[in-house]
Every structure is written in structure tokens, then in C-alpha cells.
Amino acid sequence: MKVILKENLDNLGHIGDIVKVAPGYARNYLLPKGLALEATTKNAKALDHAKKHLEYKKNKVLEQARQFAAKIEGIALTLSHQAGEEGKLFGAVTNMELAENLKAQGVEIDRKKIVLAEPIKQVGDFTAIIKIHPEVNATLKVTVTKA
């Protein structure tokens, strides 16, 4: 089934793209949530008319993502954990803990968008990548200290 995307979806495409998806995925997820329209000739003509509006929306979302990324890059998290004598943590710092600390600082972000190469298991300075938009990533500075 072909659908026209109304939102950016990581695994499918960008706003205004015509993509082929499984009928059940379209019928049960994309269409009810308003993420896509069925790609009929009527909707395709309406899409041509709405391209300018979608382009404006796309640019607006991209600009908001850049501003949000700048806000995140201005934050430096300092976490205090119990650690052994050589600086090895008892446990690990995960993306879930980083999301909770960001939320405490007033930045609400889904933990699945925080990418750590591997969980942090040492005391020191680290960076985490936050995927805000397909074209915009932010870098978060994390310092883990011994409690």
C-alpha cells in the first residue's frame, strides 16, 4: 500500500515522501495516528498543493530541532556514583539515567534518542549523542564522579 507521509519517521522517510508499506501497518498505525495519508490521485494532487506548507513545516521543525540541540549542548551533567578504588563504578550509567537527569534540568527527551556507545562504567568525562531530528544531533557532556 502506498502512503504519503505527513511526519518525519526514522524508519520510513521524510514529510511528503510517497512510500510503500504493508497494508496492516498503514491501516492500524500510520493512518489512525495521522502520520500518513493514503496515496490516491486526489491526495497526490492535494499534496502538490500542500508541498509549500509541508516545506515550511519541515524547515520550522528543523529550526526547532537546532535550537533544542543548542540548549542540550549548553548542559553539562555531573553524576555522582559509588565507585571502587580504581574508578570502576558499581553498576553503570545508562541512557535511562541520563534522560532522568535531563528531565530534572528541564529538558524532556525520550531515552531511546540518547545514544551511548556502551554504558558508562568508569569515573571520568564522557559524551553522549542525542538524536533530535534525522538531520540534527546534539552532544551531551557527562562527568561521572566518585561518591
Side-chain angles (χ1 to χ4, degrees), residues 77-79 81 93 96-107:
L77 288 181
T78 303
L79 306 174
H81 275 270
V93 177
M96 192 179 329
E97 186 175 348
L98 293 177
E100 289 171 7
N101 283 297
L102 282 172
K103 188 175 182 181
Q105 298 236 351
V107 177

PDB file of all heavy atoms in Angstrom, residues 77-79 81 93 96-107:
ATOM      1  N   LEU A  77      26.113  17.514  32.401  1.00  0.00           N
ATOM      2  CA  LEU A  77      25.634  16.720  33.533  1.00  0.00           C
ATOM      3  C   LEU A  77      26.806  16.230  34.375  1.00  0.00           C
ATOM      4  O   LEU A  77      27.809  15.779  33.842  1.00  0.00           O
ATOM      5  CB  LEU A  77      24.841  15.505  33.040  1.00  0.00           C
ATOM      6  CG  LEU A  77      23.474  15.755  32.450  1.00  0.00           C
ATOM      7  CD1 LEU A  77      22.848  14.429  32.037  1.00  0.00           C
ATOM      8  CD2 LEU A  77      22.564  16.462  33.418  1.00  0.00           C
ATOM      9  N   THR A  78      26.639  16.316  35.686  1.00  0.00           N
ATOM     10  CA  THR A  78      27.621  15.750  36.608  1.00  0.00           C
ATOM     11  C   THR A  78      26.886  14.738  37.470  1.00  0.00           C
ATOM     12  O   THR A  78      25.949  15.094  38.186  1.00  0.00           O
ATOM     13  CB  THR A  78      28.256  16.840  37.487  1.00  0.00           C
ATOM     14  OG1 THR A  78      28.843  17.815  36.627  1.00  0.00           O
ATOM     15  CG2 THR A  78      29.308  16.263  38.386  1.00  0.00           C
ATOM     16  N   LEU A  79      27.298  13.491  37.369  1.00  0.00           N
ATOM     17  CA  LEU A  79      26.661  12.406  38.115  1.00  0.00           C
ATOM     18  C   LEU A  79      27.644  11.866  39.146  1.00  0.00           C
ATOM     19  O   LEU A  79      28.832  11.731  38.874  1.00  0.00           O
ATOM     20  CB  LEU A  79      26.246  11.288  37.162  1.00  0.00           C
ATOM     21  CG  LEU A  79      25.365  11.695  35.993  1.00  0.00           C
ATOM     22  CD1 LEU A  79      25.159  10.514  35.063  1.00  0.00           C
ATOM     23  CD2 LEU A  79      24.035  12.202  36.479  1.00  0.00           C
ATOM     24  N   HIS A  81      28.438   8.653  41.545  1.00  0.00           N
ATOM     25  CA  HIS A  81      28.139   7.235  41.762  1.00  0.00           C
ATOM     26  C   HIS A  81      29.172   6.619  42.690  1.00  0.00           C
ATOM     27  O   HIS A  81      30.303   7.096  42.771  1.00  0.00           O
ATOM     28  CB  HIS A  81      28.172   6.474  40.426  1.00  0.00           C
ATOM     29  CG  HIS A  81      26.894   6.534  39.686  1.00  0.00           C
ATOM     30  ND1 HIS A  81      25.895   5.619  39.835  1.00  0.00           N
ATOM     31  CD2 HIS A  81      26.442   7.420  38.764  1.00  0.00           C
ATOM     32  CE1 HIS A  81      24.886   5.924  39.047  1.00  0.00           C
ATOM     33  NE2 HIS A  81      25.195   7.015  38.394  1.00  0.00           N
ATOM     34  N   VAL A  93      26.141   3.826  34.248  1.00  0.00           N
ATOM     35  CA  VAL A  93      25.304   4.962  33.873  1.00  0.00           C
ATOM     36  C   VAL A  93      24.714   4.621  32.510  1.00  0.00           C
ATOM     37  O   VAL A  93      25.443   4.382  31.554  1.00  0.00           O
ATOM     38  CB  VAL A  93      26.133   6.264  33.802  1.00  0.00           C
ATOM     39  CG1 VAL A  93      25.269   7.408  33.330  1.00  0.00           C
ATOM     40  CG2 VAL A  93      26.749   6.575  35.149  1.00  0.00           C
ATOM     41  N   MET A  96      18.854   5.683  30.322  1.00  0.00           N
ATOM     42  CA  MET A  96      17.675   5.948  31.139  1.00  0.00           C
ATOM     43  C   MET A  96      18.009   6.933  32.259  1.00  0.00           C
ATOM     44  O   MET A  96      17.260   7.871  32.524  1.00  0.00           O
ATOM     45  CB  MET A  96      17.150   4.635  31.734  1.00  0.00           C
ATOM     46  CG  MET A  96      15.781   4.766  32.343  1.00  0.00           C
ATOM     47  SD  MET A  96      15.069   3.256  33.041  1.00  0.00           S
ATOM     48  CE  MET A  96      15.718   1.959  32.047  1.00  0.00           C
ATOM     49  N   GLU A  97      19.153   6.747  32.883  1.00  0.00           N
ATOM     50  CA  GLU A  97      19.574   7.656  33.953  1.00  0.00           C
ATOM     51  C   GLU A  97      19.881   9.046  33.398  1.00  0.00           C
ATOM     52  O   GLU A  97      19.556  10.056  34.020  1.00  0.00           O
ATOM     53  CB  GLU A  97      20.799   7.082  34.665  1.00  0.00           C
ATOM     54  CG  GLU A  97      21.215   7.892  35.871  1.00  0.00           C
ATOM     55  CD  GLU A  97      22.356   7.265  36.645  1.00  0.00           C
ATOM     56  OE1 GLU A  97      22.686   6.089  36.389  1.00  0.00           O
ATOM     57  OE2 GLU A  97      22.906   7.964  37.506  1.00  0.00           O
ATOM     58  N   LEU A  98      20.493   9.093  32.219  1.00  0.00           N
ATOM     59  CA  LEU A  98      20.768  10.394  31.599  1.00  0.00           C
ATOM     60  C   LEU A  98      19.466  11.123  31.275  1.00  0.00           C
ATOM     61  O   LEU A  98      19.356  12.337  31.470  1.00  0.00           O
ATOM     62  CB  LEU A  98      21.601  10.207  30.329  1.00  0.00           C
ATOM     63  CG  LEU A  98      23.031   9.699  30.542  1.00  0.00           C
ATOM     64  CD1 LEU A  98      23.715   9.488  29.202  1.00  0.00           C
ATOM     65  CD2 LEU A  98      23.823  10.658  31.403  1.00  0.00           C
ATOM     66  N   ALA A  99      18.461  10.388  30.791  1.00  0.00           N
ATOM     67  CA  ALA A  99      17.162  11.003  30.482  1.00  0.00           C
ATOM     68  C   ALA A  99      16.510  11.560  31.745  1.00  0.00           C
ATOM     69  O   ALA A  99      15.930  12.659  31.718  1.00  0.00           O
ATOM     70  CB  ALA A  99      16.247   9.980  29.805  1.00  0.00           C
ATOM     71  N   GLU A 100      16.611  10.834  32.856  1.00  0.00           N
ATOM     72  CA  GLU A 100      16.045  11.311  34.123  1.00  0.00           C
ATOM     73  C   GLU A 100      16.741  12.579  34.601  1.00  0.00           C
ATOM     74  O   GLU A 100      16.105  13.519  35.073  1.00  0.00           O
ATOM     75  CB  GLU A 100      16.147  10.229  35.189  1.00  0.00           C
ATOM     76  CG  GLU A 100      15.222   9.056  34.971  1.00  0.00           C
ATOM     77  CD  GLU A 100      15.493   7.892  35.925  1.00  0.00           C
ATOM     78  OE1 GLU A 100      16.330   8.054  36.852  1.00  0.00           O
ATOM     79  OE2 GLU A 100      14.882   6.836  35.724  1.00  0.00           O
ATOM     80  N   ASN A 101      18.076  12.622  34.472  1.00  0.00           N
ATOM     81  CA  ASN A 101      18.824  13.815  34.888  1.00  0.00           C
ATOM     82  C   ASN A 101      18.538  15.003  33.982  1.00  0.00           C
ATOM     83  O   ASN A 101      18.493  16.137  34.456  1.00  0.00           O
ATOM     84  CB  ASN A 101      20.317  13.514  34.938  1.00  0.00           C
ATOM     85  CG  ASN A 101      20.693  12.724  36.168  1.00  0.00           C
ATOM     86  OD1 ASN A 101      20.531  13.195  37.276  1.00  0.00           O
ATOM     87  ND2 ASN A 101      21.149  11.500  35.970  1.00  0.00           N
ATOM     88  N   LEU A 102      18.356  14.752  32.697  1.00  0.00           N
ATOM     89  CA  LEU A 102      17.981  15.843  31.790  1.00  0.00           C
ATOM     90  C   LEU A 102      16.597  16.364  32.129  1.00  0.00           C
ATOM     91  O   LEU A 102      16.346  17.568  32.074  1.00  0.00           O
ATOM     92  CB  LEU A 102      18.033  15.375  30.336  1.00  0.00           C
ATOM     93  CG  LEU A 102      19.416  15.296  29.709  1.00  0.00           C
ATOM     94  CD1 LEU A 102      19.342  14.641  28.338  1.00  0.00           C
ATOM     95  CD2 LEU A 102      20.021  16.676  29.583  1.00  0.00           C
ATOM     96  N   LYS A 103      15.686  15.464  32.484  1.00  0.00           N
ATOM     97  CA  LYS A 103      14.325  15.866  32.851  1.00  0.00           C
ATOM     98  C   LYS A 103      14.362  16.747  34.101  1.00  0.00           C
ATOM     99  O   LYS A 103      13.627  17.722  34.197  1.00  0.00           O
ATOM    100  CB  LYS A 103      13.462  14.632  33.086  1.00  0.00           C
ATOM    101  CG  LYS A 103      12.002  14.929  33.281  1.00  0.00           C
ATOM    102  CD  LYS A 103      11.192  13.646  33.384  1.00  0.00           C
ATOM    103  CE  LYS A 103       9.722  13.946  33.521  1.00  0.00           C
ATOM    104  NZ  LYS A 103       8.918  12.735  33.639  1.00  0.00           N
ATOM    105  N   ALA A 104      15.240  16.417  35.043  1.00  0.00           N
ATOM    106  CA  ALA A 104      15.395  17.227  36.250  1.00  0.00           C
ATOM    107  C   ALA A 104      15.929  18.618  35.919  1.00  0.00           C
ATOM    108  O   ALA A 104      15.654  19.578  36.632  1.00  0.00           O
ATOM    109  CB  ALA A 104      16.321  16.527  37.237  1.00  0.00           C
ATOM    110  N   GLN A 105      16.667  18.726  34.818  1.00  0.00           N
ATOM    111  CA  GLN A 105      17.205  20.028  34.384  1.00  0.00           C
ATOM    112  C   GLN A 105      16.215  20.777  33.502  1.00  0.00           C
ATOM    113  O   GLN A 105      16.506  21.858  33.024  1.00  0.00           O
ATOM    114  CB  GLN A 105      18.508  19.821  33.622  1.00  0.00           C
ATOM    115  CG  GLN A 105      19.580  19.187  34.448  1.00  0.00           C
ATOM    116  CD  GLN A 105      20.834  20.017  34.494  1.00  0.00           C
ATOM    117  OE1 GLN A 105      20.967  20.992  33.788  1.00  0.00           O
ATOM    118  NE2 GLN A 105      21.755  19.623  35.330  1.00  0.00           N
ATOM    119  N   GLY A 106      15.046  20.184  33.230  1.00  0.00           N
ATOM    120  CA  GLY A 106      14.018  20.862  32.444  1.00  0.00           C
ATOM    121  C   GLY A 106      14.032  20.517  30.971  1.00  0.00           C
ATOM    122  O   GLY A 106      13.366  21.163  30.179  1.00  0.00           O
ATOM    123  N   VAL A 107      14.779  19.495  30.570  1.00  0.00           N
ATOM    124  CA  VAL A 107      14.838  19.073  29.174  1.00  0.00           C
ATOM    125  C   VAL A 107      14.235  17.678  29.079  1.00  0.00           C
ATOM    126  O   VAL A 107      14.821  16.709  29.540  1.00  0.00           O
ATOM    127  CB  VAL A 107      16.293  19.059  28.640  1.00  0.00           C
ATOM    128  CG1 VAL A 107      16.332  18.560  27.214  1.00  0.00           C
ATOM    129  CG2 VAL A 107      16.900  20.435  28.756  1.00  0.00           C
TER     130      VAL A 107
END
